[in-house]
Structure formats: C-alpha cells, structure tokens
Amino acid sequence: MQDAVFKTYVRGIWCVQCPELILSGLLQRRGVIDADVAYYQSLVTVRYDPEIVTEETLREALTDLLSAL
Amino acid sequence: MKTITLTILGMDCAACASTLERTLRRQKGVERAAVNYTAGTMELTYDDGQRTLEDVVLAVKKAGFRVPVEEADLVLSPGADVEAAMEALRKVYGVCDVEVRPEGKLLVSFRPVGVDSRTLLEAVRAAGADAEVTDFRAGEEYYQLDTRMRLLRMLAAAFGLTAPLMLELHPKAQFLLGTALQFGPGRYFHAGAWRNLRNRTFGMDLLVSLSSSIIWLYSSFVALTRKKNFTLYFTSQGVLLSLILFGKYMEQVAAGEAGAAIRKLLRLQPASAMVRRDGVWKELAAEQIRTGDEILLRPGERIPADGVILTGGCAVDESMLTGESMPMDKTAGDQLVGGSLNRSGSVTYRATTLGKDSVLQQIVAMVRQAQTEKAPVQRFADAVAQWFVPGVMAAAAGTFALWFFRLKKGDLERALLNACDVLTVACPCALGLATPTALMVGSGTGAERGVLFKNGGALETAWKADTIVFDKTGTLTLGQPRLTDVCPLPGVTEDELLSVAAAIETRSDHPIAKAVTACGEGDSDLEITDFAYIPGRGVQGKIAGEAVLCGNRGLLKEHGVSLTELERLPDLRKEAKTELCVAKNGKLLGVLGVADVLRPDAAETVAALKAQGRELWMLTGDHAETAGAIAAQAGIDHVRAGVLPEDKVRTIRDLQARDKTVCMVGDGINDTPALAAADVSVAMGTGSDVAIESAGILLPAGKLTKLTEAFSISGKTMRVVRQNLRWALGYNAVSITAAAAGLLHPSLCAMAMSLSSIGVLMNSLRLQKLGKKKERDR
C-alpha cells in the first residue's frame, strides 16, 4: 500500500473557482488519496495509490477537468 | 429556539458584520447573532415562535444586506402525486417557494439555511413520491464568485478610467473622467457609506467615500472655475479608488482561502455510491442513500456515508477526522465514517447516519462555529473599531483646521489634501480582520490535523494552560484493561472466583468490567438483582439471591467485609495493577488483577509538556499505589488517587484558586463536570463520536501527541492575532500622523491602506502552513 505522488504545472487556471472544480473532480476519483491545487503557482499535487490508478489515468482526468473549465 | 447558519451577501468590510449583528440582536425573539465577515455567514439563534425565517431575512435586508435565494431542480418519478410533493417541499424549513415547470420539473427556491438535496428528497419521499435532484444551484462558492466578479468589473472600470488621467489631458476631459469615476466604481463605496450611516455605524466605506468625494468636489470646482495656476487631483482620486478596490478584491481572494479547510472537508463526500436496491446493485447519487441501505465499498473509494460493516474487511484512512493517515483495519461490526478513504479491501456495510448528523457534517458545523463565535479578544478589537472611524474623521477635520488656519494659512488645497490623506490612509479593516481571519485559518488547519476546536474561546485559551489535569483510564492509559491475575483465597477455585466476578460485571460498562467478562465465564442465565455501580468503588448486587461485591478495598470496607485475608495474597497494586476484591455473602473470595497499559506516547507527551513549563496532574478513582505506578511511568509528579467525580471538580477549582489556567483532559463521557469546570477542556479518543458537548477541544485520534499539537496551533494562531492587532494599531498610528503632517501623497495613502488589510490577511493565511507541513512529514 505504497503511496505515489505526482506534481504538475497546469495552464488554464485563471478564475478563482477553478481550483475548487479541479479538486472536486480529482478527489472523487477512485484511488486518489489527496489532492492540492496551488492557485498562484498553478501547481497541482496528487497523492494516489498506484495499485488502483495510474499516473496516466490521473493526468488524463486532469486534462479533461481543465478543458471543461 | 432555532440555530441556523445563513449566508449573507453585501458585506464589504468587518464593520458591516458588527452592524448586522447589532441590528439583529435588537430584534425581538433573537437570542444570539454572530457574523463572520470573512466567511460571509451569520449564525443566528432565534425563537421561531416569535419570528419566522422571512422576518429575519427582512431584518437583514433593512440593515442593507441580502440573504440570497438558492434553487434546486427536481424531477418527480412518473405517476407521483405532484400536489402532495409540493406541499411536503413547502413545509421544509427554509423553502420559500415551489413552482411547477414544464416536463414534470419542480423548481424549489429556498434560503441558504443548510437545505441540501437530501432534505428535499426525504421530504418528497415522506409524501409518498420519489424524485431526483437534477440541478442544485447553491453553496458558498456560488456567492463568492458572484462578489468577486462584481469587484473585478468595478476594478476594471476604475483602472480603465484612471489610466487616461495619467496623461496630461484638458481639465474638462479630466473632470469628465473624474465624474465617471465618482459615480461609476465610486458608487461601491458611496452605497456602503450610506449603509453605514443608516445603521449608525462607521466603516471604511465612509472614509473612502468621504475622501474620494472631497477630492472630486475640490478638483471639479477648480477645473470648472479656475483658468490658470492650478493643479487637479482627479488622478489621485482615480488611483485611490482603483487601489482600494484592488485591495478589496485581494481581500476576497484571501478570505476565500481562509475557508479552504471546510470546503475541502465537504469535497470528501463522494457524489455516488453502489447501493443494493431490490436485490440489485445500482450506482446511485449520494443523496439517494437511505438509512439502512446496503452499500458496497471497493478499494480506493471514499466512503459515501456513515455506517456499520456487514461483511468483509478493509483498511481505512480516517485522516479527515483524526489527522492520522495510517489506515485502520476494520471488520464486520466496526463503524465507518463517511468521507474517509478505503485504502484496501472490499466490504458491504449498512448506512446509519446521514445528512446533518453525519460525522463529517458535524465536524464542518463545529469548525464553522469555531470560526464564527466571538472569541474574547475579538470583542476587544470590535470595541476599538467602533470609535476608530469617528476618531479618524475627527483627526481629518483637525488636520484640515491645522493646515488651513495655522500652518499654511488660506491654502485650501493643501489643507484639503492632507485631510483626505488622513481619511484614506486610515485602515479600520485591519483591526476588524485581525482576529477573525486568524481564527478561521487556525480552526480550519486544526481540523485538518485532527484537532477539533469547538469554539473560538478554546482556540484562544488553550495555549495559556499552565496546568494540565489528566484523567487516568482511557486518557493516559489505553482504556482497555486486561485481566492479568486471578488470585483466589485458599478454599476457593480460580473458576469459582472468576465466574462470580464475571457474572456481576456483565451488568457494568466500565472498562475494568469488560476486562473481567472477556476472560471469565459470565453465565448470563444467572439471575442478577439489586445491581448497582458505585463510582470510585465498584459494583454490587445479588446473584441468585446471594450478595456479591466486586471492587476496591474501599467498597468491601464499607460493606463490613473483613480484609485481613488479603494479606495472604500478593498486593497487585504494587505492580501498577487495579485490584478487584471479590466477596460473596460478606466473605472475601479472592482478588483479580486488571492492568491498563499506559499509552505508548504518554511519556513522550508528558516530557514535552513539562519542558514547556506546564504543571501536570493525574486524577483517578483508582488506588494510590496503582495510580502512583502509572504516574511514575508517565512522568507525572502530581497525583490524586481514590478520587470521586466531585473531587475532580474540587481539585480543578483549587488549582484555579491558585491562579492557574487549568486544562482538563478526559474521555468526554465520564468527566463532564470536571471538563466543564476547567478553563480548557479536551476530550480524547472520541473517534467518530464528535457530538461530545462537554469539551472545548476534541481529539478523535486518541493520541496524546495531538494534545501538544492543539496547544501549538492555539499558540501560533494567537501569536498571529497579536501580530495582526499590533500591526493594525501601529500602522494606523504612524500613517495617520504622517498623513496629517502632510508627508504623504493620496495615491501612496491608498496603496498603503490596501497593503495594510491585505497584509493582515496574508499573515493569517500563513497558519495554513501548519496543516501542509505535516503532510510532508508523513
């Protein structure tokens, strides 16, 4: 049960509502343990269980969330 | 009496919050009103027999603010009784209207009193119909966005109108721009000032409005009448409005950040769950879950609702509750907390508590309360803020007089400008924001770490506790005693001794009783009568007509049982064990030894607390020898044993009489009077039972190290409050003097003032790092 973390800079966070939506979407995903969005740095940090979900899937999910904004 | 939390819109500064509070308190039937400007909410306790919710809404409107209306779309299942459903919905507290829309939709409008999808659905269900919520337009973020957009528009207009003023334009052109500024973006402050005056309060809006109006009036007069040798100050007016609006916008952003902890908590609730309906597993929306539903939980999923495990086993990360992310193993019969994370294993479980009474919602309510309640230091700040603005206005008038009549006689321009500088540079907001924001972030961060402050007072006082009183069983010790020794007197068998004790102890819930019944053969067929639990002594009763006692020596002595035989048995108390003497029909049968192990982090915590200069005490109903041994292991010097519940209160009072600030740490259930008597009360290891009323601080994790964390968070939060207050007072003293002395330029004043409020907010936000830092330590 080892955790994995990935951080990524994202483009497209301009409104103050955005971090909320991203967080919401990420936390609902199976396998995500914790997520954080640093608004001013546009940095998203996700801690997840690699046995349940892969970084690929999460990055895709993140892209989907961002495009929906 | 109803207590509700209402969203309030239209509050621009901390003074508005005080105004609203006072206005509401004056209303008949209102017992309590506490407004949190940063969160944009008001907690209200009122008599709903004397006043309705709409009365309250009207009162808020008269004060110049708004209570918004939220909406939800419902789709009824086919064949449902629409009329009945609408009736039922209208009766829900907070709902103001229900409209029928095309295609079988219902539009429900309600006030933001905490009505959620589940409440609406349950109302419809009670009326015999079923429905689905297709859209829910509500929530705090909804309004924050609205306010921010409004500010942004004003800000853009202000910048847009000020930029051209930087160029050397014709006076008439400048006049037009200045007028546009005054009645465009400037309106924001004029409306606020008007509201201030109407409610007889004095806020920042009044200062800004006055200042900008004076500059505009003077500049307009000059622009329209003088022909040469004059300076216009429209630029200053523009810069003033722009910078202050910018400051307000940043304030909003920071205020939003302050509420991050609660929002994160609410995000932890999954939107859907796998529920068994009619024998089939279906994926349903979270609000469709009913009490008693069977839910399937897979690895990696967040738990949708509180419940009890039926089959399977899993490992759960309950950090949203305890702050500890170490997964806890759970099997059939164990409780699950909605919002926590299932790390591994699959289980089916039955949903128990939903909605407002769920653990997650209770934590949110608790954090909100801690954020809104007026901590003592805040009341001081409010009192100062009250006379601050009139004081500044007087100072401005004085500055004008000083310059016009004395320093530079007849120089209207100079005098006016300096007076305006005074009005602009003064920052009452910093005072009003100093405490609430820090408390908000502090309590939110605490919750993230599993330290739940129930009110602002607890957050404020905790670090000051110089004396800590610990309860023994369950607090310093694990609270799960084990039976270690069975020592019958000659002539009595071990089985006999154990069975008698176990039989009588089955009726008691005390941890010691459980240790006995776990190992003994508690024959439930035996008839037990006249059972009584005597606190601090033990239990007594009759088994099949024979009198039985099971407790400490004090109990047996009181019943006249001879204890001389005890000398033939080892004194278990010397081994830090609890000695249970068992007697039947007035004759001693033997003793049982029960040992409660010290918590692994007890010694470490005690040492840390002692190093901070605190005096540590241990109180217990147990005998002195056992107590002494445990205290020695923990490192506590002051022990009072054989203590009855009343004595605990007396001990605390004695310490308080010696001018000590006492913190009582207990389990929240058995120590209620003592907890209530202490200056700071901490309930440990409550787990998912967060409804404990008696304590000001809850540590669900049950780890003693959380206690040091609680003091740390309290101390750091109050340090930030003091920094903020010192800054607010210092900044104002220096800047107002400088402005009066004519050392500052209007634009500079505006910038300084904005930076001052933002600075206070940013300083408070630093407390968030306390939460994040722990993440990295894991």
Side-chain angles (χ1 to χ4, degrees), chain B residues 414-586:
Chain B
R414 198 71 217 244
L416 269 182
L417 274 181
N418 289 339
C420 285
D421 282 348
V422 169
L423 286 174
T424 316
V425 86
C427 185
C429 302
L431 263 179
L433 288 171
T435 324
T437 0
L439 289 184
M440 259 189 100
V441 183
S443 56
T445 307
E448 267 174 52
R449 296 260 287 266
V451 177
L452 301 174
F453 292 96
K454 292 192 73 178
N455 51 56
L459 184 53
E460 189 179 321
T461 326
W463 69 280
K464 283 195 246 178
D466 52 22
T467 311
I468 309 184
V469 176
F470 287 94
D471 181 47
K472 179 177 85 68
T473 313
T475 307
L476 283 173
T477 64
L478 286 173
Q480 285 154 16
R482 288 174 1 257
L483 187 67
T484 52
D485 301 87
V486 182
C487 309
L489 283 175
V492 180
T493 64
E494 274 191 17
D495 284 342
E496 210 186 314
L497 174 62
L498 201 48
S499 59
V500 167
I504 194 84
E505 293 282 23
T506 46
R507 295 284 296 270
S508 168
D509 276 330
H510 199 279
I512 290 179
K514 293 207 179 107
V516 175
T517 52
C519 300
E521 289 80 65
D523 192 344
S524 47
D525 285 339
L526 288 174
E527 191 194 316
I528 302 173
T529 50
D530 297 340
F531 177 83
Y533 165 68
I534 301 118
R537 294 278 183 266
V539 300
Q540 66 186 52
K542 290 208 179 87
I543 303 178
E546 296 183 295
V548 170
L549 295 172
C550 183
N552 56 25
R553 297 186 184 203
L555 180 72
L556 270 64
K557 261 194 222 144
E558 275 170 14
H559 282 77
V561 177
S562 158
L563 296 172
T564 44
E565 302 278 290
L566 270 178
E567 287 160 41
R568 297 164 79 173
L569 299 167
D571 189 347
L572 298 169
R573 299 170 308 171
K574 292 217 166 66
E575 298 164 42
K577 292 178 187 155
T578 303
E579 181 193 66
L580 278 181
C581 306
V582 185
K584 188 161 88 166
N585 287 331

Side-chain angles (χ1 to χ4, degrees), chain A:
Chain A
M1 240 197 300
Q2 267 297 96
D3 300 350
V5 182
F6 87 86
K7 299 191 191 210
T8 180
Y9 286 97
V10 285
R11 273 211 246 118
I13 302 186
W14 60 273
C15 75
V16 282
Q17 190 74 326
C18 302
E20 296 296 331
L21 296 170
I22 296 177
L23 258 182
S24 191
L26 283 174
L27 284 172
Q28 294 283 328
R29 290 218 87 108
R30 245 188 96 210
V32 171
I33 300 167
D34 200 5
D36 185 56
V37 179
Y39 178 63
Y40 295 107
Q41 296 108 303
S42 285
L43 177 66
V44 174
T45 310
V46 185
R47 183 134 53 88
Y48 63 100
D49 187 339
E51 286 171 35
I52 298 174
V53 72
T54 61
E55 190 174 312
E56 296 295 304
T57 322
L58 287 175
R59 283 187 185 274
E60 264 175 48
L62 190 55
T63 318
D64 284 339
L65 282 167
L66 285 166
S67 60
L69 290 175

Side-chain angles (χ1 to χ4, degrees), chain B residues 31 55 131 134 383 472 482 491 502 741:
Chain B
E31 190 182 283
D55 286 336
T134 51
K472 179 177 85 68
R482 288 174 1 257

